Amino acid sequence: MGSSKNLGVGPVATSSLLVASIVGGKVRASDDPRLYTQLVFTSAFFTGVLQAALGFLRLGILVDFMSRPAITGFMGGTAVVIMLQQLKGLLGMTHFTTKTDVVSVLRFVFHNTHLWQWQSTVLGVCFLVFLVITEQVRRRRPKLFWVSAMSPLLVVIVGCVFSFLIKGHKHGIPIVGTLKRGINPSSISQLKFQSEYVGVAMKAGFVSGMLALAEGVAVGRSFATMKNERIDGNKEMVAFGLMTLIGSFPSCYIPTGAFSKTAVNYHAGCRTAMSNAVMSVCMALVLLALAPLFRYTPLVALAAIITSSMLGLIKHREIRCLYKVDKADFAVCAAALLGVVFSTMITGLGIAVAISVLRALLHVARPATSKLGRVPGGGGADDTFRDVAQYPGAVTTPGVLVLQVGSPIYFANAEYLRERIARWVEDEERIAGDDRGEDLLYVVLDIGGVTAIDSPGIEMLREVHGKLERKGIKMAVTNPRMEVAEKLVLSGFAELVGESWMFLSNGDAIAACQYTLQGSKHGGGVPPV
């Protein structure tokens, strides 16, 4: 039902660990595995409801608040947390801390060195080096992507054979153990909607669902760009939501668009979403027939596979680029990463989203205003008016101040814009009086970039007009959009300014100001409409 042709869906580490963290805060898997899995299925149900509702209501904009820098930092922090958790398998430890922050994990590891198994460590290092080398081969020779794709399976096979031959579980190499064959049973009757559990299930479902949605849509868009295709975010939300909602009935938990699966799909030359159906059939065959063969899989092999895959989630080049290009984006990324690593995933994600929203609000509440001048050699066309701060050679007209507002005018920024316009006028009056010995007679307000305006915004313009009029300065308005122009007419502001002082372009407005100024010197004259 989605619009992406490349996306490979399934469980991913970030969503999995997030669900485990939230649900584990209510009930530990080791204490009550049945209730734990029931809450996981219930959280998947709520995730599906949320994602499908967002898609049907076309509220994809909510996902955009999880900016790319926030996701980059969150995924990097999560990768660090997951790698720290793999120390249990890499060191062959039988017990491990339930905490996820870096300080608690490292303190536990180094305070329990007597639990380390050197056999697991040696085997894990060998596996990890092999996986990293195959990944480097894929990066340098993209056509050999299958080497990296097959390496985890090869590690599992080699680990199983090695562990079976030397009886690894008796020599410091813990194994997975018995795996049940077959498909998981229905979980419809196991969903927990009691008041005691519904809160934690909704929290896990909504938080991880938003993250999974943002990650899946981002991955789909990234690969669609490579093929010059378009992704419909709302359709993707509906597809993710129904997939997760229905999946919660046959014992599935939260999936999303996995980057690694999608990359394999893309490089293998997939053309449609049927690749996911083929993937599902293969997984079903493994569960039905091959599951017992993985009994001797050493835990250290799985730890090495997970660790190597997590290394690719730490986008150090992208983080360095954010630092060079935009310090605010870097702050969002760093907040998410450090929040996850030193506290919890919820904390890191919450801080990153809060900073992103605050930044967006600041852009709305503090819009840019600029003084315009005509760029020489433009032939008098309106599109040659540019910001004088950016183009110092731009020519201004004596007695005329051209100001540009480049954002919607709302109650949140009306007061700020009133002060900015007043400051521009005061500065121009001082410059005109000191340098040219002339008075400021006209203020041309270019609102072509104002896509919307509300009643407080119109009232602000009315007050600015009145203040200018008391100073003997005439206001002109140029290039209003249709939606804005309708409100200016209906509110009476257009009549207050005078329809003859509303123009299509800045060039027309300046010509009218000069015509009126010349007419007043010769005893009359009105501006052309």
Side-chain angles (χ1 to χ4, degrees):
M1 297 185 69
S3 57
S4 175
K5 299 178 181 179
N6 308 295
L7 205 61
V9 298
V12 297
T14 49
S15 299
S16 303
L17 194 57
L18 191 57
V19 172
S21 175
I22 299 175
V23 175
K26 180 68 176 180
V27 55
R28 297 178 60 178
S30 57
D31 296 339
D32 193 342
R34 179 179 175 81
L35 176 60
Y36 181 87
T37 54
Q38 289 174 344
L39 292 180
V40 170
F41 300 148
T42 309
S43 67
F45 173 84
F46 285 114
T47 294
V49 172
L50 171 69
Q51 293 176 340
L54 291 177
F56 283 122
L57 297 176
R58 307 187 69 81
L59 295 177
I61 188 175
L62 296 179
V63 180
D64 294 335
F65 280 110
M66 298 184 66
S67 62
R68 178 66 183 177
I71 296 176
T72 299
F74 178 81
M75 292 178 65
T78 303
V80 173
V81 169
I82 294 175
M83 286 191 290
L84 290 173
Q85 296 296 311
Q86 302 317 306
L87 291 176
K88 176 183 179 181
L90 291 173
L91 298 176
M93 303 176 72
T94 54
H95 302 288
F96 207 69
T97 177
T98 57
K99 298 181 179 180
T100 60
D101 63 282
V102 60
V103 176
S104 299
V105 172
L106 293 181
R107 181 185 294 123
F108 178 87
V109 169
F110 288 103
H111 283 181
N112 294 273
T113 54
H114 61 281
L115 297 177
W116 295 11
Q117 302 288 343
W118 67 267
Q119 300 92 332
S120 288
T121 303
V122 172
L123 190 61
V125 170
C126 294
F127 285 151
L128 191 57
V129 170
F130 170 74
L131 291 168
V132 171
I133 291 175
T134 58
E135 178 64 21
Q136 293 299 319
V137 170
R138 182 193 66 81
R139 291 184 178 181
R140 297 183 180 184
R141 300 286 184 85
K143 292 184 178 180
L144 297 179
F145 72 92
W146 55 270
V147 174
S148 176
M150 294 296 293
S151 58
L153 180 60
L154 184 60
V155 165
V156 170
I157 294 175
V158 172
C160 287
V161 174
F162 182 78
S163 180
F164 174 76
L165 293 177
I166 70 167
K167 298 294 188 287
H169 57 287
K170 297 181 180 180
H171 298 87
I173 304 178
I175 61 175
V176 171
T178 303
L179 295 176
K180 294 182 180 180
R181 180 185 300 174
I183 304 295
N184 287 342
S186 171
S187 59
I188 298 179
S189 60
Q190 300 182 39
L191 300 182
K192 290 287 185 178
F193 297 112
Q194 293 88 340
S195 58
E196 182 181 359
Y197 305 113
V198 70
V200 67
M202 291 180 66
K203 179 181 179 181
F206 289 174
V207 175
S208 58
M210 290 294 291
L211 175 66
L213 201 56
E215 183 178 354
V217 173
V219 171
R221 286 174 176 171
S222 299
F223 283 88
T225 302
M226 299 180 186
K227 292 186 176 181
N228 197 26
E229 298 172 349
R230 188 181 66 86
I231 295 297
D232 187 334
N234 291 304
K235 289 183 67 175
E236 292 297 307
M237 289 181 184
V238 173
F240 276 123
L242 295 181
M243 171 179 64
T244 309
L245 179 61
I246 297 173
S248 67
F249 300 151
S251 300
C252 298
Y253 77 104
I254 300 170
T256 186
F259 185 87
S260 57
K261 293 183 180 66
T262 305
V264 172
N265 268 359
Y266 177 83
H267 290 295
C270 76
R271 295 291 182 268
T272 69
M274 274 299 293
S275 59
N276 287 285
V278 176
M279 186 194 312
S280 301
V281 172
C282 293
M283 288 297 299
L285 292 176
V286 170
L287 291 173
L288 290 171
L290 303 180
L293 297 179
F294 296 97
R295 173 184 178 182
Y296 288 96
T297 302
L299 293 179
V300 66
L302 301 181
I305 292 171
I306 294 173
T307 300
S308 66
S309 64
M310 291 301 102
L311 291 174
L313 292 181
I314 304 176
K315 309 292 185 181
H316 55 90
R317 293 180 180 176
E318 185 173 343
I319 294 174
R320 288 202 303 268
C321 182
L322 288 174
Y323 180 78
K324 294 179 181 178
V325 175
D326 193 321
K327 297 299 190 292
D329 282 340
F330 174 78
V332 172
C333 179
L337 194 152
L338 297 177
V340 171
V341 171
F342 288 98
S343 184
T344 64
M345 287 181 290
I346 295 295
T347 301
L349 188 61
I351 293 175
V353 172
I355 295 177
S356 298
V357 173
L358 178 61
R359 186 186 181 195
L361 291 176
L362 286 176
H363 279 297
V364 173
R366 296 294 183 266
T369 59
S370 57
K371 176 182 175 181
L372 302 183
R374 194 194 305 272
V375 177
D382 181 61
D383 60 356
T384 57
F385 280 84
R386 295 293 183 266
D387 184 357
V388 295
Q390 184 176 356
Y391 295 87
V395 178
T396 59
T397 303
V400 181
L401 171 63
V402 182
L403 295 178
Q404 183 183 57
V405 180
S407 71
I409 301 177
Y410 292 128
F411 66 93
N413 60 25
E415 183 63 29
Y416 173 79
L417 287 175
R418 180 192 294 110
E419 295 177 359
R420 287 298 301 160
I421 294 173
R423 193 175 306 169
W424 278 114
V425 171
E426 291 173 2
D427 292 343
E428 187 67 16
E429 285 179 323
R430 185 179 65 256
I431 294 173
D434 295 343
D435 297 346
R436 299 191 293 262
E438 298 177 352
D439 294 330
L440 177 63
L441 300 175
Y442 302 97
V443 171
V444 178
L445 200 60
D446 183 353
I447 60 173
V450 178
T451 57
I453 189 171
D454 63 0
S455 297
I458 297 174
E459 185 61 28
M460 181 273 295
L461 293 180
R462 195 186 301 272
E463 293 177 8
V464 169
H465 176 269
K467 185 175 181 180
L468 293 176
E469 195 173 51
R470 288 191 293 273
K471 287 185 174 186
I473 301 173
K474 186 64 179 177
M475 175 191 280
V477 178
T478 66
N479 195 26
R481 299 172 66 93
M482 178 63 71
E483 300 84 353
V484 176
E486 289 179 353
K487 291 186 177 182
L488 295 181
V489 172
L490 293 174
S491 64
F493 178 77
E495 183 179 356
L496 176 66
V497 174
E499 294 184 3
S500 61
W501 286 97
M502 300 190 71
F503 302 93
L504 178 64
S505 66
N506 293 329
D508 293 340
I510 290 180
C513 294
Q514 292 175 328
Y515 179 86
T516 305
L517 187 59
Q518 293 174 359
S520 63
K521 291 180 179 180
H522 293 86
V526 294
V529 179

